[in-house]
Amino acid sequence: MARTFALVAAAAAFFGHAQSQCTAAPSQTYDYIVIGSGAGGLVIADKLSESGASVLLLEKGPLSSGKWNGTMKASWLQNTNLTRFDVPGLFNQIWVDSAGVACDDTGVMAGCVLGGGVAVNSALYWKPHSSDWDVNFPTGWKSTDMQKHVDNVFQRIPSNYIPSKDGKLYLQQGFDRVTKGLDTAGFKYVVANDAPNEKNRTYAHATFYIQNGERHGPLRSYLETAMARPKFNLWVNTGARRVVRTGGHITGVELECKNNAGRSGTVNVTPGTGRVIVSAGTMGSAKLLFRSGIGPTDQLNVVKSSPIDGSTMISQDQWINLPVGNNLNDHVGTDIQISHPDIVFYDFYGAWGSPIKADTDAYLQKRSGILAQVAPNLGPIFWTAHNGSDGITRHIQWQARIEGRTKTAMTITQYLGMGTTSRGRADITPQLNMRVATNPYLRTTQDKEAVIAGLDYVRSALNNVQGLTWITPTSSQTTTAFVNSIPATPASRGSNHWTGTCTIGSDDGRTGGKAVVDLDTKVYGTDNLFVVDASIFPGMTTGNPSGAIFAVAERAAERILALKAPAPKLIRGATRDM
Ligand SMILES: Cc1cc2nc3c(=O)[nH]c(=O)nc-3n(C[C@H](O)[C@H](O)[C@H](O)COP(=O)(O)OP(=O)(O)OC[C@H]3O[C@@H](n4cnc5c(N)ncnc54)[C@H](O)[C@@H]3O)c2cc1C
Ligand SMILES: *[C@@H]1O[C@H](CO)[C@@H](O)[C@H](O)[C@H]1NC(C)=O
Ligand SMILES: *[C@@H]1O[C@H](CO)[C@@H](O)[C@H](O)[C@H]1NC(C)=O
Ligand SMILES: *[C@@H]1O[C@H](CO)[C@@H](O)[C@H](O)[C@H]1NC(C)=O
Ligand SMILES: *[C@@H]1O[C@H](CO)[C@@H](O)[C@H](O)[C@H]1NC(C)=O
């Protein structure tokens, strides 16, 4: 399963500092306005600004990392430059206290702070398997096209499987016991990002974007280079309500001031040549398009009937009918639990309010020790691959952590990813919240076959471990009965790896195709509106997706910069394709 969390209705009280107030957007225009500062947005905003263009990055959430003046921290971090987002041992805090951090309008867990998902996630970080591109993506986005972007991403954001600065791995009993069973079953140890295509019967240490014992990633690379450029601008606490457009030509973005601390009004792109990039995440980008009159008619009618947007929504004759929200996907999560007397639990939850002094000292003074490791002590990670009766190969990533029903328990999540054929749908409610309307999990027989086959295989492998006992499934339960006992819902199977609502492809969704954006990531039926984030992924990745999303954003920047600017004259009311 998916770890549960409480949705917070409003974060305003938390951030409504007395001196803060909303300010009106200036009349200055920008060559590019990027909406959302997550995995996709941070990377593309930097790449666009590198070209010399003026770039405005809009983020609806507050600051996060201490590097950028974030303030949310455990008391032992007072008087340091660190926040909860920087210290790997505190990443679990998202499951304890998500107020003002998690999005309040997505229905499922997502980060709504500077950095989006890459500020709150577990920082697990993989070079994509070539099938992640070759099976899922269209022409121009195959592994041969993507290799240079992946290389560039991993140069700017190195991966690391020994997060502690002293070069040691801490509390490895779980890793050691489980991998004994895998070794006996014939699995091979790999350094995962040295062998991205070895994803069948292999295992590795959990691998992260952690450097110097702190969360690294695009907040500490792409955003740093962008911030150093005079024509780059970041507005936090500033949401985009919708794009302002005439037909397919976007002139600006209408703003929603958040936490009583951002900008309001409308900000415009450079007349004629300016562009808007939507990087608001799988739920957020779909929502932004719906509110801008782009999507299936049933969803646009919900917005049209809503008290919030109805009376000011773009008129129906300007709507662009595209399958936004369809093709929703996520890794299918199935949790198993084992126990072994040698396993040592560490109380990462306690590290927030009542930490062990020796551990905080080691971390603060040397960026070393258990708190440099991501909570709750992740690893090993291993992979299996399964050929389906439909001829399709499916990849499974297995992700272990030291947490469960007892102090000697480990939870291992089976993620079924690359190759899945089940898809769901996201929609919008009358309150303008996003929602998973159709669950994407196990809708096809072959997806379920792969989950069962994978689990059978790993059960027999782990039975090689001396002293191991099964918590779930119980040793007498059949794998099929166990898999069937877990509901196919986000609460039970969600992996927080949502993709697909604004799929990329050459099959134009206005005329029956599945694609919302073309091969340049431009929204069909528009001149100058693009979507660049996890929402454009046609299918699921083998591993946790952020590495692939960074590479996609690099690729998109290259293609967008190479595109001829839209014609400077605005054709009133017309929809043009270029
Ligand atoms: C708890 C958790 C753990 C995860 N663990 C991992 C992991 O270990 N490794 C991994 O690779 N992946 C992990 N993921 C998934 C990964 O973080 C996401 O796939 C990735 O961040 C998605 O990138 P994105 O650019 O599509 O959107 P996001 O990163 O979600 O960014 C979207 C951004 O847009 C902003 N936004 C939304 N709407 C608007 C608007 N209207 N106006 C302005 N701003 C807006 C949001 O606040 C957010 O900052 C995890 C996700 C979660 C939630
Ligand atoms: C905090 O300061 C240290 C020492 O100067 C630096 O190495 C680190 O990058 C800083 N971290 C953040 C999050 O600003
Ligand atoms: C952080 O604070 C410094 C000093 O006040 C300021 O110059 C800088 O612009 C701030 N950065 C952000 C991202 O708010
Ligand atoms: C994975 O490895 C197993 C064992 O060697 C093999 O039977 C299976 O065909 C492989 N799967 C794929 C998809 O290559
Ligand atoms: C499984 O599929 C892979 C990839 O298509 C192929 O290389 C392999 O031979 C297949 N294995 C079996 C056992 O069919």
Side-chain angles (χ1 to χ4, degrees), residues 200-201 385-387 393 457:
N200 188 17
R201 297 208 307 163
H386 306 270
N387 288 349
T393 299
Y457 193 59

Side-chain angles (χ1 to χ4, degrees), residues 429-496:
T429 69
Q431 296 75 37
L432 303 186
N433 293 318
M434 293 299 295
R435 178 178 71 170
V436 176
T438 304
N439 297 321
Y441 309 113
L442 303 180
R443 305 189 76 82
T444 61
T445 343
Q446 292 83 2
D447 282 354
K448 190 181 271 191
E449 273 170 20
V451 167
I452 292 169
L455 196 42
D456 272 334
Y457 193 59
V458 162
R459 281 178 89 172
S460 68
L462 294 185
N463 283 338
N464 294 321
V465 182
Q466 204 110 94
L468 178 145
T469 52
W470 285 90
I471 300 176
T472 54
T474 59
S475 37
S476 63
Q477 199 173 12
T478 69
T479 299
T480 303
F482 174 69
V483 169
N484 285 335
S485 74
I486 305 168
T489 59
S492 298
R493 294 195 181 264
S495 305
N496 310 303

Side-chain angles (χ1 to χ4, degrees), residues 115 125 189 269:
Y125 180 46
Y189 172 75
V269 292

Side-chain angles (χ1 to χ4, degrees), residues 325-339:
N326 295 358
N327 199 41
L328 180 71
N329 206 0
D330 184 14
H331 275 115
V332 185
T334 304
D335 276 2
I336 60 177
Q337 266 193 49
I338 56 168
S339 164

Side-chain angles (χ1 to χ4, degrees), residues 63 68-69 114 227 234:
L63 296 167
W68 307 113
N69 303 345
L114 180 64
M227 285 286 211
L234 167 70

Side-chain angles (χ1 to χ4, degrees), residues 65-67 81-82 86 212 214 220 367:
S65 168
K67 171 70 188 175
N81 63 349
L82 304 166
D86 299 311
N212 185 38
E214 301 174 14
R220 299 302 306 272
R367 295 291 187 270

